[in-house]
Amino acid sequence: ECAWHPEFMRIRLNQWIEGLKEDWCVSRQRFFGVPFPVWYSKRAGEKGKLLFAGVAQFPVPPLPATPEGYGREEVTPDTDVMDTWATSSLTPEINAKSLTPNKLFPADVRPQAHEIIRTWAFYTIVKAHLHGGSIPWKNLMISGWCLAADKTKMSKSKGNVVPQVYLIEEKGS
């Protein structure tokens, strides 16, 4: 239902979806990130039982918090964090805190880079559909890469980028 600009970029999303042959992992084993509100019970008779935060607890940081009815010494928090794209796909809702999904979506346009169609666009489309029964935007405007003078992709790792400070000094912010 979303219009793609350019239209051929829609193929990347379709290929991603059609290529899903197994569950997609939404967790990472990193130090930084949004932790899952999940704990494991240490109580006798239920050791290792999965415990989840109640809806009334959200948002909940699982390290200092505990599931309802449990004390800190009775649980071990899960150490995984959410995939970066699973959390960043919430940016429309976070930026429009007071709006319900039905009033927030569909927005008019989403500009984004082509290499994150399978992540940022995919997660946001799925979440808007599941949470509000809507598409998140009417239009997606997909950008390409900046090219260096030799027509190769500009990249910090290649060392062929123009540091922003020089552009700001020359052109202004």
Side-chain angles (χ1 to χ4, degrees):
E1 295 178 40
C2 304
W4 288 70
H5 307 281
E7 171 64 31
F8 69 84
M9 285 292 184
R10 179 192 306 261
I11 294 167
R12 290 186 182 217
L13 180 70
N14 292 341
Q15 288 174 335
W16 166 248
I17 293 169
E18 290 166 8
L20 289 172
K21 301 293 184 226
E22 54 193 44
D23 290 341
W24 178 247
C25 185
V26 297
S27 67
R28 300 283 175 106
Q29 294 71 48
R30 294 181 175 166
F31 182 76
F32 294 107
V34 178
F36 287 96
V38 175
W39 300 265
Y40 302 93
S41 177
K42 293 191 215 175
R43 284 184 181 169
E46 61 177 44
K47 191 169 175 114
K49 175 184 174 186
L50 280 173
L51 306 167
F52 302 96
V55 173
Q57 290 183 274
F58 283 93
V60 58
L63 294 176
T66 60
E68 294 171 349
Y70 287 80
R72 167 74 23 230
E73 70 288 345
E74 296 180 293
V75 296
T76 301
D78 191 275
T79 57
D80 281 0
V81 296
M82 292 183 202
D83 180 280
T84 304
W85 302 108
T87 55
S88 65
S89 66
L90 286 170
T91 52
E93 290 91 343
I94 292 167
N95 289 325
K97 297 175 222 171
S98 63
L99 296 177
T100 63
N102 293 339
K103 291 189 182 215
L104 176 63
F105 295 137
D108 186 46
V109 66
R110 159 86 160 252
Q112 75 162 60
H114 66 90
E115 67 267 21
I116 56 174
I117 289 171
R118 68 167 187 84
T119 49
W120 201 22
F122 175 76
Y123 279 125
T124 309
I125 291 168
V126 169
K127 290 173 84 153
H129 174 72
L130 292 174
H131 294 172
S134 174
I135 57 172
W137 338 273
K138 296 173 188 167
N139 298 280
L140 281 95
M141 183 179 66
I142 309 299
S143 63
W145 288 315
C146 290
L147 298 180
D150 64 357
K151 304 294 185 214
T152 61
K153 177 188 171 208
M154 292 182 83
S155 168
K156 287 186 285 188
S157 63
K158 288 183 174 186
N160 64 351
V161 296
V162 178
Q164 295 90 337
V165 69
Y166 300 121
L167 289 173
I168 292 170
E169 288 171 356
E170 181 184 328
K171 309 285 185 187
S173 59

